Amino acid sequence: MPVKARKLLSLQETQDSLEMLSYFTKAGNRGYIPYPAYIQPVALSVYDNFAQKLQSTKNHKLFTHSPTGIPTEFPNLYLTKLGQLAIPVIRDCMNNPFINGQFKKMTLHPLIAHLGETVIKYQLPAGGFLNHDYFEQAADVCFADFKVRGNTNQFSRILSSWLTTFKNSANAINRFMDIIVNKAPIFEVHSIVVQLKTSVGNMPQFGEENFRDQSEAEMLEELAQPIIKKVWQNKNANNVIGILSKDEIDLIGDRSKRLIFFVKKEFSDLENWTDTILYQTLYQFFENTITHHINYGDIASMNAGIMPLFQGQHLNYYDLNQSGIAPRLSMLKAHLYGTDYWMRVDG
């Protein structure tokens, strides 16, 4: 049976994971994306919702004469529920870097990628809306092809593998977090970013891939391992009880590995991050060279000093006995694994 995509993220997890994705990829920065001023960028979740809706509907009508509250440029013509999903996606896809091929060295969610490729293949963004009957007929052919090719055995295997890998990753992070909270009802999270400067200069390390001594993943691992080893060797002093790593990449091609440290806390005293033993251990690795950059992160859920204090603490401080802890833990988890639902770094 063909595999159908399912909702694996709650609405809040969707929002939190997309905010994290937009931040580290720089996709939310218009300075990196040449969007026309008159087009509102569309979130990948809208593509996902539209693709899943197409999989389950037989009616491809985009326009209706029945008032729906969503008017069009045509007199007495409104968007259907499907049209309310379809039209923003059609207008967005040629400008969206995840869809139009601008974003390299990453793999997009297969269903979203398939939708974007099919819409562009049938040139719906260039079709305009001068004749809604013609446009709707062209869209109907496009959507039918989307469903046919999305039901093949090969595509079903690809989608199934993607969803299974994501669920396994989410389960692994949830088990890890269970261990953390059992060890430490009060803990902090700190992250540092190890980033390659592959987008600038022509360093031999970043030349033609077939002639490199190391892959970018290997270069990052070589930089990250001494840091992890040093921190873990000193865990009795710095109170680190767990370490995770997360692969990231941005639109300009700079690939990163975020190292995330979970620190057990005994008391609720507000500490200066730079006075901690963990900081002193990490600081010796901070550097900015022509090939790479290593520094403290700037994500509020896993770094101190990014946002105003909440309940007298930085947002990277977690106390299981405090009110409002559940949504904050959910946000942290969405930041850790939720982005992998939408896209993954190649290699």
Side-chain angles (χ1 to χ4, degrees), residues 11-44:
L11 289 177
Q12 189 61 54
E13 288 171 332
T14 295
Q15 178 179 327
D16 292 337
S17 62
L18 285 174
E19 284 180 353
M20 179 70 169
L21 184 69
S22 177
Y23 181 79
F24 75 71
T25 62
K26 297 183 172 68
N29 187 332
R30 283 212 177 212
Y32 293 94
I33 306 174
Y35 263 98
Y38 60 88
I39 291 184
Q40 179 65 33
V42 172
L44 293 180

Side-chain angles (χ1 to χ4, degrees), residues 73-283:
E73 50 263 61
F74 302 108
N76 301 316
L77 205 60
Y78 301 85
L79 293 178
T80 64
K81 289 184 177 180
L82 185 68
Q84 293 170 33
L85 291 172
I87 299 304
V89 165
I90 292 170
R91 286 175 168 164
D92 175 82
C93 63
M94 289 301 294
N95 300 285
N96 193 310
F98 290 100
I99 306 297
N100 65 12
Q102 177 185 347
F103 206 157
K104 309 295 184 182
K105 301 178 183 178
M106 69 89 190
T107 299
L108 188 63
H109 187 300
L111 192 65
I112 297 174
H114 173 46
L115 175 63
E117 290 166 1
T118 307
V119 169
I120 292 174
K121 170 186 173 183
Y122 282 87
Q123 300 182 354
L124 294 188
F129 301 91
L130 297 178
N131 185 316
H132 75 271
D133 289 322
Y134 172 81
F135 182 81
E136 199 166 50
Q137 292 171 11
D140 181 61
V141 174
C142 171
F143 299 160
D145 185 37
F146 166 81
K147 290 199 283 192
V148 169
R149 294 192 296 121
N151 280 337
T152 64
N153 183 38
Q154 179 184 16
F155 184 81
S156 292
R157 289 200 307 270
I158 293 172
L159 181 58
S160 177
S161 175
W162 182 274
L163 298 177
T164 299
T165 300
F166 173 76
K167 287 187 289 185
N168 290 341
S169 175
N171 290 336
I173 294 295
N174 282 320
R175 289 193 298 270
F176 174 87
M177 291 300 300
D178 287 342
I179 293 172
I180 293 297
V181 299
N182 284 331
K183 286 184 176 181
I186 305 175
F187 64 93
E188 287 182 351
V189 185
H190 295 276
S191 77
I192 67 171
V193 178
V194 182
Q195 184 177 66
L196 295 179
K197 297 182 178 181
T198 52
S199 64
V200 295
N202 292 307
M203 300 302 296
Q205 297 96 319
F206 306 139
E208 174 61 39
E209 290 188 20
N210 294 331
F211 295 96
R212 290 179 186 170
D213 293 330
Q214 291 178 301
S215 68
E216 292 177 11
E218 290 170 336
M219 295 179 209
L220 281 173
E221 192 67 19
E222 188 174 89
L223 291 168
Q225 277 305 313
I227 303 174
I228 295 171
K229 183 178 180 181
K230 188 71 173 180
V231 169
W232 196 245
Q233 285 177 337
N234 204 28
K235 65 181 185 295
N236 291 332
N238 58 37
N239 292 321
V240 170
I241 55 176
I243 304 174
L244 293 175
S245 69
K246 178 179 176 62
D247 290 325
E248 300 175 353
I249 193 168
D250 61 30
L251 282 171
I252 60 178
D254 288 340
R255 180 168 176 163
S256 307
K257 184 178 288 289
R258 186 178 298 273
L259 303 181
I260 306 157
F261 306 95
F262 292 76
V263 182
K264 182 178 181 179
K265 299 282 290 183
E266 295 290 345
F267 305 101
S268 61
D269 298 78
L270 182 63
E271 290 184 293
N272 187 339
W273 157 241
T274 57
D275 293 336
T276 64
I277 295 176
L278 177 58
Y279 175 83
Q280 299 303 323
T281 302
L282 293 173
Y283 182 75

